[in-house]
Amino acid sequence: MMFNLKTDRSQYPQPGPDGKLEIDLETGKYLKLWQGPNHPGITGNMSVELTVCGDEVVAGKTHVGYLHRGFEKLMERRSFIQVFPIVCRVCVPEPDFNEYCYAAAVEELAGIKVPELANWMRTLILEMGRFNSYMMFLGGISGALGLGVVGQWMTYVRDLMLDRFEELTGARIYHMFILPGGVRGHLPDGFAGRMEEVLRTAEKYLADVEKVMFRNAVYKRRTKGIGVIDPKLFEPYGVTGPNARAGGVAKDLRKDAPYLVYNELDFEVQTGKDSDIHTRVDVRYRDIHQSIALIRQILQKMPKDGPVMAKIPNVLHWQIPRGETYIKGESSRGEYGYYLVTDGSGYPRRINVRGPSYTHAMALLEHLIPGTNISDVAQLMVSLHTYPPEIER
Amino acid sequence: MSLRDVLSPYTAWKHLFEAPVTIKDPIGREAAERYRGFHQNDLSKCIGCGSCEDICQNAAIDMVPVSDPKTGDSGLRPMIDYGRCCWCALCVDVCMTGSLTMSNEYTWVDSDPDAFRFTPGVDLKSWDAEEKGYKRENNERRLTGTHRPEMGMLEPEARIASFGEIVHGYTRAEAVIEADRCVECGLCVATCPAHMDIPDYIRKVREGDYEGGLKLLYETNPFSQTCGRVCTHACETACAAVHEGDAIAIRWLKRDITDNVPRERYFDLISKPDVPETGKKVAIVGAGPGGLTTAFDLARAGNEVVVFEALPKPGGMMRYGIPEYRLPYDVLDHEISVIEKMGVDIRCNQRIGTDITLDQLKKDHDAVVLSLGLNQGRSTRVPGSEEAESAIDLLRRITAGDKVPVPKQVAIIGGGNVAMDIARSMARLQRQKHGEVGVTVTALEDFDHFLADDEEVEEAREEGCVIYDARGPQEIVVKSGKVAGLRTWKCKAIFDAEGRFAPKYDASDEMVHPAQMVVEAIGQSADISLLGAELTEKLEWNRGRIRIDQNGRTSEPWLWAAGDLVSGPDVIHAVADGHRVAKSVSAMLQATRETH
């Protein structure tokens, strides 16, 4: 049995011979309940239309569209350099992946070789972004379970990392630092030392999280064995990243298709077995520690000097030859990719963003919801670690 | 489940007495050193090129007029709407002068939404002098190219051996790189006397559409081949790219277009428009760039145009003043043949005043245009100057193939481009005759205020010419009726306190430059004897030049003037004059057609 169902199910609707539920709202047995789009137990602006019977959800439908900004279309009317400030906005909590994927796609099609130091800086930024994304996740999952204090701690730690982002890139949220051709600048003086302070503080707080969350009886009760994703669903539902790794799939693009400088770094793919909420959080928790280790490694191994920008054509009338490419990488949520088509003009013909949240938050969640308790919907949803801005684009 | 799992969460209480991490008053928190906050614009640098407006994908930047623009700039400055700005700083990265930067100031509270739309630098703000904030790393402009490809040229040894053209012209790859650097701000268009469509024809180079480019060139300049080689290129001094690196090589890109269209194609691309004949006749005196541009325009408008030229071949100063190594004669011949194809009748060896009178021209034509070059050399009038040669006269004789004396040592008086032209021409002749160069140039100006182009000076030196700056001629030394040298004094100042020409010399610093020929290259004037006493008296004058109205018309209603006679002296001003006069003449002819 996948879910903690009550033993006496006589009051609950019985599936017909075809396995489908006949839900007749007129009977008064069922209640329609909207969770979202503005709800503390929801990840961003999306909503789930629940049909409940008692406190059990019998059907759930995901609704998106609250955050559609039309970025992909917008980008078709922007020159290649003008797309650069837009892409980071596709995904608010982990914007750097967009910057990297877009820049790498443009560089490939335009035949630009990025200086080595720029690749190290990009890797550093992506790991800092991953760390921050996980901070939001930990705060989110603990919040969904009523552990508000963890959210406060994580916000604080994330803010410290944002300080490092600010001094490195010149901005806290939308960094706009990874330009096609390289990155905008070198590390500020003394950056590594200040970063080390942040990482130590993070480790201290993470140790507290371990005690408050992972060694918490209530947390265990509410996450173990709940929201299990059958590994058989990984393939058809396009499940990637920690969601799949928690089900024993040791897939990580940083290892499987190394990009930037990942093949020069030592790290392991974090996996789990049970595929439930608890394991998914645990895998991410270990991934955070790995990101911390990676940041340290990068700062230690990266070249101390060198150019960070390749020579690029005049961006005001930059035309890129006809071509198409797909650039992917392992974001904190799974496979993140940019499909870019160029037609020889000064504008992208098509940009398509492949965000892992699209599959995880819509189809997969809809599949997982029936049979859960209303109070578990929030943590189930958050445990998939999805970001609506990246679904909507 | 263990007792530890129940108690463990309570360890969170250890943070209970810690100070809060949140900032009570975030307004005023200082941002990081390279934070992208509110913009600053250094108005002493900003030229209003609008590249910031072009790159802004949010249309947050509007170029708005300011009351006190600098000369040569657009008179516009970026106004930023912070309701649209996304703080990407691409405007800072692309800024052509480095004037636009960002402070690290980011907190600002105001109840008036319009307060967040202002022009940095013009509307003064508290962060204008803030040094922290986003700047381009090492102040490098990395989004557009900063340096032009080096132009291929003959080596000094090879070029001194003949009058062959020195400059090779760009290869296709070089031309594309150079054309790619242009940001299409158009400041050059305003600066060019003929207002050529520079950004548009540069785009044609980029796109490889040379025939389209040639058509564009001819819309504003029938001497594009010539200007592509010898233009004084004021456009390049106004170019936005000149502030951080090299100006776009506008002149060479123009040449690139003209060189890449096969000559026979010119006659298809620059065809005469299908306009009815007007039956009007216009006489033009002088087949230089001014006269021939007027002729080109008037002929294309359906008028019968006759150009009278005193010398054996058309081209004026372009042919008889500019040495062949800078402007090959076949280029000029081809250029003029395109003009002739428009139906222009060029009659050479017809000196007005001698072969035919101006009165006769007036009688036989509906309008007369004077386009005389500055073909008389000025004299220093120092002792012995009657023995000196005139640079412009020598250049004409060299072009005409006349025999000119080529002594082993030549001294030139003058520091302008004509001085360089005659110095380098004589150097070539000396090399051919004596196997070595013996040219000394003495200029009144010091090198900080030199008149000749830097490249001319450099190339002349490479070719073996010796150049002395700040030397004033005192005497042309004549011994036994022959020139023996040039005596000069150190020049301490050229102008007096009122700015009048009054050179002061240091007699103790004397030099005698041995020379068997001294050439004066200190300026030219027009030979206006053809006007005759009566007309000279009737015409209005302005400091030795014929007074003309804004359309190039003289005080006599039938007579217009163009070219070096009234402006310049250079080709592009003459071309601009030609257009202006042609337009005015056309308007007059149209008016007479309608009234008669």
Side-chain angles (χ1 to χ4, degrees), chain B residues 120-388:
Chain B
V122 175
D123 301 319
L124 300 180
K125 299 291 172 197
S126 60
W127 52 80
D128 283 346
E130 176 60 62
E131 289 196 358
K132 287 180 185 170
Y134 180 76
K135 315 275 180 293
R136 298 178 303 193
E137 204 174 58
N138 304 325
N139 202 20
E140 269 181 80
R141 177 158 51 79
R142 294 183 292 205
L143 300 188
T144 52
T146 49
H147 289 90
R148 61 169 73 170
E150 206 170 310
M151 172 57 79
M153 290 168 77
L154 285 179
E155 291 298 315
E157 266 308 298
R159 64 188 189 227
I160 191 77
S162 76
F163 277 79
E165 189 171 20
I166 295 173
V167 174
H168 296 325
Y170 278 142
T171 61
R172 172 70 189 141
E174 288 166 342
V176 171
I177 290 172
E178 186 55 8
D180 185 58
R181 298 204 298 125
C182 173
V183 295
E184 303 184 347
C185 63
L187 291 178
C188 47
V189 179
T191 312
C192 174
H195 305 307
M196 297 191 73
D197 296 334
I198 296 164
D200 287 342
Y201 73 66
I202 289 181
R203 187 190 305 134
K204 295 288 184 188
V205 174
R206 218 160 46 228
E207 292 166 354
D209 178 12
Y210 285 115
E211 296 198 345
L214 190 79
K215 283 182 168 177
L216 265 182
L217 293 181
Y218 266 83
E219 280 180 15
T220 46
N221 188 350
F223 284 98
S224 294
Q225 294 184 74
T226 300
C227 286
R229 287 172 162 78
V230 300
C231 189
T232 43
H233 55 79
C235 50
E236 293 183 21
T237 57
C239 177
V242 82
H243 299 273
E244 293 183 336
D246 301 330
I248 309 293
I250 299 171
R251 178 175 57 168
W252 298 143
L253 290 174
K254 180 158 52 240
R255 173 184 166 151
D256 191 55
I257 295 176
T258 60
D259 282 0
N260 278 290
V261 178
R263 287 192 172 174
E264 60 279 9
R265 284 289 293 149
Y266 275 64
F267 302 105
D268 303 328
L269 296 167
I270 321 298
S271 53
K272 190 175 173 179
D274 187 16
V275 293
E277 298 296 324
T278 61
K280 299 288 179 186
K281 285 175 77 176
V282 181
I284 293 168
V285 183
L292 290 180
T293 302
T294 315
F296 179 79
D297 286 0
L298 288 175
R300 284 165 69 87
N303 301 297
E304 192 184 331
V305 183
V306 187
V307 181
F308 297 90
E309 169 60 48
L311 291 171
K313 286 189 170 178
M317 280 299 158
M318 296 184 292
R319 185 184 299 274
Y320 292 103
I322 300 171
E324 193 182 3
Y325 59 82
R326 287 213 287 138
L327 177 61
Y329 299 138
D330 65 318
V331 171
L332 191 58
D333 289 340
H334 173 244
E335 196 138 66
I336 292 171
S337 69
V338 175
I339 294 170
E340 284 181 303
K341 195 80 179 169
M342 300 299 135
V344 175
D345 178 9
I346 303 177
R347 297 181 193 166
C348 292
N349 295 314
Q350 296 278 306
R351 185 173 289 276
I352 306 301
T354 310
D355 300 312
I356 182 168
T357 63
L358 204 54
D359 272 345
Q360 192 64 41
L361 286 189
K362 179 187 171 189
K363 208 182 296 171
D364 294 347
H365 299 84
D366 298 289
V368 178
V369 180
L370 280 185
S371 179
L372 309 179
L374 305 180
N375 43 20
Q376 278 187 331
R378 289 208 172 100
S379 173
T380 54
R381 301 190 193 282
V382 295
S385 64
E386 59 279 3
E387 298 297 326

Side-chain angles (χ1 to χ4, degrees), chain A residues 179-229:
Chain A
L179 261 180
V183 294
R184 277 180 136 163
H186 290 77
L187 292 184
D189 288 340
F191 180 81
R194 291 188 292 278
M195 176 60 91
E196 183 57 35
E197 280 173 36
V198 173
L199 297 181
R200 282 194 190 145
T201 311
E203 283 170 331
K204 200 178 85 182
Y205 275 92
L206 286 170
D208 288 343
V209 172
E210 169 116 27
K211 287 182 194 135
V212 172
M213 213 161 94
F214 291 98
R215 290 190 207 154
N216 181 330
V218 179
Y219 173 77
K220 284 183 180 174
R221 275 289 287 271
R222 295 196 59 188
T223 55
K224 283 199 169 178
I226 313 271
V228 175
I229 312 172

Side-chain angles (χ1 to χ4, degrees), chain A residues 34-146:
Chain A
W34 281 74
Q35 185 154 332
N38 290 317
H39 189 278
I42 205 95
T43 51
N45 305 70
M46 68 174 281
S47 61
V48 190
E49 181 190 353
L50 303 170
T51 308
V52 296
C53 177
D55 63 355
E56 186 179 305
V57 182
V58 292
K61 188 160 171 46
T62 52
H63 289 274
V64 295
Y66 304 100
L67 206 50
H68 183 64
R69 294 144 297 167
F71 280 146
E72 287 180 357
K73 196 72 197 163
L74 187 72
M75 290 191 274
E76 290 171 17
R77 298 289 181 273
R78 293 290 184 278
S79 67
F80 289 101
I81 195 70
Q82 287 179 328
V83 171
F84 153 77
I86 298 178
V87 287
C88 53
R89 290 161 165 87
V90 168
C91 179
V92 190
E94 197 181 5
D96 310 285
F97 242 89
N98 298 279
E99 294 183 17
Y100 159 65
C101 288
Y102 173 69
V106 165
E107 285 149 9
E108 186 185 316
L109 293 178
I112 293 167
K113 194 173 170 352
V114 177
E116 193 198 350
L117 179 56
N119 278 334
W120 281 90
M121 304 266 298
R122 286 178 175 190
T123 317
L124 172 69
I125 288 165
L126 291 190
E127 286 308 317
M128 287 163 67
R130 184 189 316 279
F131 174 89
N132 265 2
S133 175
Y134 281 145
M135 289 300 110
M136 286 195 88
F137 169 78
L138 278 185
I141 192 79
S142 58
L145 290 160

